[in-house]
Amino acid sequence: MNTGIRGTVLLVDDEPMIRTATEKWLQMAGLDVISTRNAEEALPYLQEDFHGILLTDVKMPGMSGLELMKATHERIPDLPVILITGHGDIDMAIQAMRDGAYDFIEKPFVPERLVETLLRACDKRRLMMENHRLQTDIAARSGLDAKIIGISPAIQRMKRELLAAADMDTNVIIYGETGSGKELVAQSLHEFSERKQKRFVPINCGAIPEHLIESELFGHEAGAFTGAAKRRIGKFEHADGGTLFLDEIESTPAHLQIKILRALQEGRIERLGSNQSIAVDIRVIAASKADLREDEHFRQDLYYRLNVSQLFLPPLRERPEDIALLFMHYVNQAASERDKASRQLSQHDERILQSHQWPGNVRELKNIAIRFALDNRVSLADLIHGQSSNIGFDDLEYKPLPLAIQVAAFEEEIIKRSLERHQGNIKAVMDELDLPRRTLNQKMAKFGVNRSDYIE
């Protein structure tokens, strides 16, 4: 829509003079007008992405205005349709409004009233289009939010960039530390792209022996080398029409980088032992732990071929808001899969989660969450640090946790023991610990300690 335009009107009228005069009135009012002589000419404009409204005469040769309205609403149910009717058509126009017309204008009409009606309809259509856009966006983001868990600014920014890159159908490099979820991001790029109906084919370039990786990528014919008993389709060919994910691309041998570059440039590959060139249509998503521009062993021409878009996946330690959320997601998932009740985190557990640096990122967190979910006897601190989490009077030599965590846990243990001794009597606990009521309440709330748990 052009700047300053107040809306778009598709005008349908078989009378040239009336059509021309109406078009000029509407244009003077700031409306963009598409003018047609009959309903048949108007139909091609009436697609789902049409952002305007329909103004049509009722009585026309061929398809009538009422028939056009019905055909329009079959295509775009909520598109406003204004009917131009003759004096004797009022009953019919009222029935048309019951059938879904936005309004009707009786001939001869006052231009100002017509413009006022059309502007209201344009505003309604604009609001409908905006709501539809928001709903579509929310649906896409809801799907992505269910796949990539996180509310931190860093991960939200990455998800916005992911959705934008998914629509572009260009090669992408994903940067992220080990265990940060690069393959999950690559899968999401595929699933939110136009290639989602085709295959997503992952391969870890660093996990395959150098003498086998060329065959894995490009395939081979029977007898191409010792042990090649039959033809094998490579990952490039297998991913035709879809997405090929090259994880740890920085591990690719130099001689193979040349072949990958040629395949991307030409859109064709050759199996080992074959002279036949095979066309492939793929999107390549590569992933690396380090900046490929700084890698002297990585070909710069291949880097620029891959680096059409970039996504940077933040490490877990840089998204603290997501740690407990992710942890409980995996705990609930593991418990549900095994039909177990889900364990809950205490505030002490949450502090332990936040204090850990997570060098293994999401992969490490997921492994610990699954073990936490399946064994009620083991503490979270034990899983993370390999020692008991029961920090109390006899545990002053406990070292792995930061001092602030140890002090808080020690405080929590003292309050719990006092509540237990006095069977939940708050006054007795206040006297024993020499704490004001407000301070004790604050600490109990901080540690998630409930007096009712200690009343017998």
Side-chain angles (χ1 to χ4, degrees):
M1 204 179 293
N2 297 329
T3 303
I5 295 298
R6 303 172 73 182
T8 298
V9 179
L10 176 58
L11 170 63
V12 187
D13 198 310
D14 63 311
E15 298 185 41
M17 292 182 61
I18 294 178
R19 187 173 67 250
T20 301
T22 303
E23 184 176 354
K24 289 181 178 178
W25 287 331
L26 301 185
Q27 288 172 341
M28 289 175 62
L31 291 161
D32 185 23
V33 183
I34 302 169
S35 181
T36 66
R37 297 172 296 175
N38 53 54
E40 290 78 6
E41 288 184 1
L43 281 172
Y45 293 101
L46 295 167
Q47 306 299 326
E48 285 189 5
D49 59 350
F50 177 62
H51 55 256
I53 62 173
L54 175 62
L55 173 64
T56 180
D57 194 7
V58 172
K59 292 186 176 179
M60 297 182 293
M63 181 183 285
S64 70
L66 293 176
E67 292 171 327
L68 177 59
M69 181 182 76
K70 181 179 179 182
T72 298
H73 284 162
E74 287 175 353
R75 298 181 179 195
I76 319 170
D78 54 3
L79 188 138
V81 178
I82 295 94
L83 301 172
I84 302 173
T85 67
H87 179 68
D89 298 329
I90 298 300
D91 291 341
M92 177 272 298
I94 292 173
Q95 181 59 46
M97 289 190 67
R98 291 174 181 158
D99 293 338
Y102 177 79
D103 205 346
F104 67 90
I105 302 292
E106 185 182 359
K107 294 178 182 178
F109 49 78
V110 178
E112 289 77 12
R113 189 200 161 201
L114 174 64
V115 169
E116 180 184 341
T117 301
L118 294 178
L119 288 176
R120 285 201 313 271
C122 284
D123 286 341
K124 179 179 180 181
R125 179 61 176 159
R126 189 178 300 111
L127 181 61
M128 289 175 175
M129 292 289 286
E130 178 64 15
N131 286 338
H132 178 70
R133 185 192 68 77
L134 287 173
Q135 290 299 323
T136 301
D137 189 50
I138 288 170
R141 292 185 185 280
S142 295
L144 184 59
D145 286 342
K147 193 170 183 65
I148 300 178
I149 308 297
I151 58 172
S152 64
I155 207 69
Q156 292 288 6
R157 180 172 59 252
M158 191 281 297
K159 286 192 277 191
R160 288 194 297 271
E161 293 169 354
L162 186 156
L163 288 173
D167 290 335
M168 294 169 61
D169 197 36
T170 55
N171 296 333
V172 180
I173 298 178
I174 302 170
Y175 289 106
E177 295 180 2
T178 298
S180 57
K182 296 187 289 297
E183 183 166 347
L184 181 63
V185 171
Q187 286 176 338
S188 300
L189 277 168
H190 174 75
E191 290 176 15
F192 286 88
S193 75
E194 294 182 355
R195 296 178 179 267
K196 61 186 175 184
Q197 301 301 329
K198 299 293 184 178
R199 293 188 184 96
F200 173 80
V201 180
I203 181 170
N204 189 318
C205 301
I208 300 173
E210 185 172 334
H211 66 284
L212 293 178
I213 189 169
E214 185 171 357
S215 172
E216 285 291 322
L217 287 173
F218 300 107
H220 63 254
E221 298 290 345
F225 52 84
T226 303
K230 59 182 180 179
R231 171 185 288 177
R232 176 181 174 82
I233 300 299
K235 301 298 186 185
F236 267 83
E237 196 173 346
H238 189 57
D240 187 34
T243 302
L244 177 64
F245 175 51
L246 301 176
D247 198 6
E248 296 190 27
I249 185 81
E250 70 274 16
S251 304
T252 309
H255 74 278
L256 199 55
Q257 292 180 31
I258 299 172
K259 293 199 69 171
I260 294 173
L261 176 63
R262 174 180 285 185
L264 296 180
Q265 288 175 335
E266 300 177 359
R268 309 187 73 85
I269 58 105
E270 289 181 9
R271 301 190 196 110
L272 290 175
S274 172
N275 292 321
Q276 181 183 359
S277 177
I278 302 169
V280 290
D281 170 27
I282 59 172
R283 180 189 201 180
V284 173
I285 300 173
S288 174
K289 297 187 291 290
D291 191 342
L292 295 176
R293 292 174 302 177
E294 306 299 326
D295 189 342
E296 60 182 16
H297 301 295
F298 197 83
R299 294 182 63 94
Q300 292 302 290
D301 47 4
L302 177 56
Y303 164 77
Y304 287 114
R305 176 65 60 171
L306 293 170
N307 191 54
V308 182
S309 297
Q310 290 181 332
L311 288 176
F312 294 91
L313 189 52
L316 195 54
R317 63 183 175 275
E318 292 181 6
R319 37 188 293 214
E321 304 94 329
D322 300 335
I323 292 173
L325 188 67
L326 269 168
F327 189 84
M328 286 311 301
H329 167 74
Y330 291 123
V331 167
N332 293 335
Q333 188 179 71
S336 175
E337 288 172 356
R338 294 159 178 84
D339 198 25
K340 290 173 61 72
S342 182
R343 287 182 71 180
Q344 299 302 308
L345 291 173
S346 68
Q347 291 192 354
H348 179 47
D349 289 334
E350 290 188 16
R351 290 193 297 274
I352 292 173
L353 287 176
Q354 294 295 336
S355 71
H356 189 51
Q357 289 301 297
W358 301 106
N361 287 292
V362 179
R363 185 181 300 152
E364 177 190 4
L365 179 140
K366 181 178 181 180
N367 290 340
I368 291 174
I370 292 172
R371 291 161 63 194
F372 180 81
L374 301 184
D375 190 350
N376 292 333
R377 299 167 300 176
V378 66
S379 70
L380 181 58
D382 191 18
L383 290 171
I384 292 179
H385 303 287
Q387 298 195 35
S388 171
S389 63
N390 296 322
I391 307 170
F393 293 105
D394 303 322
D395 200 22
L396 296 177
E397 297 302 316
Y398 185 80
K399 297 295 184 184
L401 293 175
L403 178 62
I405 299 289
Q406 295 191 54
V407 170
F410 192 80
E411 250 187 344
E412 180 180 347
E413 184 73 15
I414 291 172
I415 292 172
K416 285 180 176 179
R417 290 191 181 190
S418 183
L419 282 165
E420 187 174 0
R421 272 193 300 274
H422 299 291
Q423 299 178 8
N425 186 320
I426 294 295
K427 179 68 168 62
V429 172
M430 290 166 51
D431 292 341
E432 180 179 272
L433 302 183
D434 193 22
L435 286 175
R437 178 64 179 261
R438 181 177 180 183
T439 303
L440 179 60
N441 288 343
Q442 287 174 340
K443 289 184 180 294
M444 289 175 64
K446 175 182 176 182
F447 299 134
V449 176
N450 295 312
R451 171 178 173 265
S452 57
D453 294 338
Y454 299 90
I455 299 175
E456 294 184 357

